[in-house]
Coordinates of all heavy atoms in Angstrom, one line a residue:
Chain M
Y185 N 5.9 16.1 -3.6 CA 5.2 16.4 -4.8 C 4.5 17.7 -4.5 O 4.1 18.0 -3.4 CB 4.1 15.4 -5.1 CG 4.6 14.0 -5.5 CD1 5.0 13.1 -4.5 CD2 4.7 13.7 -6.9 CE1 5.4 11.8 -4.9 CE2 5.2 12.4 -7.2 CZ 5.5 11.5 -6.2 OH 6.0 10.3 -6.6
T186 N 4.3 18.5 -5.6 CA 3.4 19.7 -5.4 C 2.3 19.7 -6.5 O 2.6 19.2 -7.6 CB 4.2 21.0 -5.4 OG1 3.3 22.0 -4.9 CG2 4.7 21.4 -6.7
I187 N 1.2 20.2 -6.1 CA 0.1 20.4 -7.1 C -0.2 21.8 -7.1 O -0.1 22.5 -6.1 CB -1.1 19.5 -6.8 CG1 -1.7 19.8 -5.4 CG2 -0.8 18.0 -7.0 CD1 -3.0 19.1 -5.1
L188 N -0.6 22.3 -8.3 CA -1.0 23.7 -8.5 C -2.3 23.9 -7.8 O -3.3 23.2 -8.0 CB -1.2 24.0 -10.0 CG -1.4 25.4 -10.4 CD1 -0.1 26.2 -10.1 CD2 -1.7 25.5 -11.9
R189 N -2.3 24.9 -6.9 CA -3.6 25.3 -6.2 C -4.5 25.9 -7.2 O -4.1 26.8 -8.0 CB -3.3 26.3 -5.1 CG -2.9 25.7 -3.8 CD -2.5 26.7 -2.8 NE -3.7 27.6 -2.5 CZ -4.4 27.4 -1.4 NH1 -4.2 26.4 -0.5 NH2 -5.4 28.3 -1.1
K190 N -5.7 25.5 -7.2 CA -6.7 26.1 -8.1 C -7.6 27.0 -7.3 O -7.7 27.0 -6.1 CB -7.6 25.0 -8.7 CG -6.9 24.2 -9.8 CD -7.7 23.0 -10.3 CE -9.0 23.5 -11.0 NZ -9.7 22.4 -11.6
G191 N -8.2 27.9 -8.1 CA -9.2 28.8 -7.5 C -8.6 30.0 -6.7 O -7.5 30.5 -7.1
A192 N -9.2 30.3 -5.5 CA -8.8 31.5 -4.8 C -7.4 31.5 -4.3 O -6.8 30.5 -4.0 CB -9.8 31.6 -3.7
R193 N -6.9 32.7 -4.1 CA -5.7 32.8 -3.4 C -6.0 32.8 -1.9 O -7.1 33.1 -1.4 CB -4.9 34.1 -3.8 CG -4.5 34.0 -5.3 CD -4.0 35.4 -5.8 NE -2.8 35.8 -5.0 CZ -2.6 37.0 -4.7 NH1 -3.5 38.0 -5.0 NH2 -1.5 37.3 -4.1
Y194 N -4.9 32.5 -1.1 CA -5.1 32.4 0.3 C -5.8 33.5 1.0 O -6.7 33.3 1.8 CB -3.7 32.2 1.0 CG -3.8 32.1 2.5 CD1 -4.1 30.8 3.1 CD2 -3.5 33.2 3.3 CE1 -4.1 30.7 4.5 CE2 -3.6 33.0 4.7 CZ -3.8 31.8 5.2 OH -3.9 31.7 6.6
H195 N -5.4 34.7 0.7 CA -6.0 35.8 1.5 C -7.3 36.4 1.0 O -7.8 37.3 1.5 CB -4.9 37.0 1.5 CG -3.7 36.6 2.3 ND1 -3.8 36.4 3.7 CD2 -2.4 36.5 2.0 CE1 -2.6 36.1 4.2 NE2 -1.8 36.1 3.2
D196 N -7.8 35.8 -0.2 CA -9.0 36.4 -0.7 C -10.2 36.3 0.3 O -10.4 35.3 1.0 CB -9.4 35.5 -2.0 CG -8.6 35.9 -3.2 OD1 -7.8 36.8 -3.0 OD2 -8.8 35.3 -4.2
Q197 N -10.9 37.4 0.4 CA -12.0 37.5 1.3 C -13.3 37.2 0.6 O -14.3 37.0 1.3 CB -12.0 38.9 2.0 CG -10.9 39.1 3.0 CD -11.0 38.2 4.2 OE1 -12.0 37.9 4.7 NE2 -9.8 37.7 4.6
E198 N -13.3 37.3 -0.7 CA -14.6 37.2 -1.4 C -14.8 35.7 -1.8 O -13.8 35.0 -2.1 CB -14.5 37.9 -2.8 CG -14.4 39.4 -2.6 CD -15.7 40.1 -2.3 OE1 -16.7 39.8 -2.9 OE2 -15.8 40.8 -1.3
L199 N -16.0 35.2 -1.7 CA -16.3 33.9 -2.1 C -16.1 33.8 -3.6 O -16.5 34.7 -4.4 CB -17.7 33.5 -1.8 CG -18.0 33.2 -0.3 CD1 -19.4 32.8 -0.1 CD2 -17.1 32.1 0.3
S200 N -15.5 32.7 -4.0 CA -15.3 32.5 -5.5 C -16.5 32.0 -6.1 O -17.3 31.2 -5.6 CB -14.1 31.5 -5.7 OG -14.2 31.0 -6.9
T201 N -16.7 32.4 -7.4 CA -17.9 31.8 -8.1 C -17.5 30.5 -8.7 O -18.3 29.8 -9.3 CB -18.3 32.8 -9.2 OG1 -17.1 33.2 -10.0 CG2 -18.9 34.0 -8.7
E202 N -16.2 30.1 -8.6 CA -15.8 28.9 -9.2 C -15.8 27.7 -8.2 O -15.2 26.7 -8.4 CB -14.4 29.0 -9.8 CG -14.3 29.9 -11.0 CD -12.8 30.3 -11.2 OE1 -12.0 29.4 -11.2 OE2 -12.5 31.5 -11.4
N203 N -16.4 28.0 -7.1 CA -16.5 26.9 -6.0 C -15.2 26.6 -5.4 O -15.1 25.5 -4.8 CB -17.2 25.7 -6.6 CG -18.5 26.0 -7.2 OD1 -19.1 27.1 -7.0 ND2 -19.1 25.0 -8.0
L204 N -14.2 27.4 -5.6 CA -12.9 27.1 -4.9 C -12.5 28.3 -4.1 O -11.5 29.0 -4.4 CB -11.9 26.7 -5.9 CG -12.0 25.2 -6.4 CD1 -11.1 25.0 -7.6 CD2 -11.7 24.3 -5.3
S205 N -13.3 28.7 -3.1 CA -13.0 29.8 -2.3 C -11.9 29.4 -1.3 O -11.6 28.3 -1.0 CB -14.2 30.2 -1.5 OG -15.2 30.7 -2.3
S206 N -11.2 30.4 -0.8 CA -10.2 30.2 0.2 C -10.9 29.9 1.6 O -12.0 30.4 1.8 CB -9.3 31.4 0.4 OG -9.9 32.5 1.0
A207 N -10.2 29.3 2.5 CA -10.7 29.0 3.8 C -11.0 30.4 4.5 O -12.0 30.5 5.2 CB -9.7 28.2 4.6
S208 N -10.2 31.3 4.2 CA -10.3 32.6 4.8 C -11.6 33.3 4.3 O -12.3 33.9 5.2 CB -9.1 33.5 4.3 OG -9.3 34.8 4.4
A209 N -12.0 33.1 3.1 CA -13.3 33.7 2.6 C -14.5 33.0 3.3 O -15.5 33.6 3.6 CB -13.4 33.6 1.1
I210 N -14.3 31.7 3.5 CA -15.4 30.9 4.1 C -15.5 31.3 5.6 O -16.6 31.5 6.1 CB -15.2 29.4 4.0 CG1 -15.2 29.1 2.5 CG2 -16.2 28.6 4.7 CD1 -14.9 27.7 2.1
R211 N -14.4 31.5 6.3 CA -14.5 32.0 7.7 C -15.2 33.3 7.7 O -15.9 33.6 8.6 CB -13.0 32.1 8.3 CG -12.4 30.8 8.6 CD -11.2 31.0 9.5 NE -10.1 31.9 8.9 CZ -9.2 31.4 8.1 NH1 -9.1 30.2 7.8 NH2 -8.3 32.3 7.6
S212 N -14.8 34.2 6.8 CA -15.4 35.5 6.7 C -17.0 35.4 6.6 O -17.7 36.1 7.2 CB -14.8 36.3 5.6 OG -15.6 37.4 5.3
L213 N -17.4 34.5 5.7 CA -18.8 34.2 5.6 C -19.5 33.8 6.9 O -20.5 34.3 7.3 CB -19.1 33.2 4.5 CG -20.5 32.7 4.3 CD1 -21.4 33.8 3.7 CD2 -20.6 31.5 3.4
L214 N -18.8 32.8 7.5 CA -19.3 32.3 8.8 C -19.5 33.4 9.9 O -20.4 33.4 10.7 CB -18.4 31.2 9.3 CG -18.4 29.9 8.6 CD1 -17.4 28.9 9.1 CD2 -19.8 29.3 8.6
S215 N -18.6 34.4 9.8 CA -18.6 35.4 10.8 C -19.8 36.3 10.6 O -20.2 37.1 11.5 CB -17.3 36.3 10.8 OG -17.4 37.2 9.7
Y216 N -20.5 36.2 9.5 CA -21.7 37.0 9.3 C -23.0 36.2 9.8 O -24.1 36.7 9.7 CB -22.0 37.2 7.8 CG -21.2 38.5 7.3 CD1 -20.1 38.4 6.6 CD2 -21.8 39.7 7.7 CE1 -19.4 39.5 6.2 CE2 -21.1 40.9 7.3 CZ -19.9 40.8 6.6 OH -19.3 41.9 6.2

Side-chain angles (χ1 to χ4, degrees):
Chain M
Y185 293 84
T186 190
I187 55 174
L188 188 67
R189 273 173 66 98
K190 285 176 64 174
R193 294 171 63 217
Y194 177 81
H195 291 298
D196 282 357
Q197 290 294 322
E198 297 283 310
L199 285 183
S200 159
T201 50
E202 293 165 47
N203 305 345
L204 282 167
S205 296
S206 73
S208 155
I210 297 173
R211 285 195 300 275
S212 161
L213 174 68
L214 288 173
S215 77
Y216 274 103

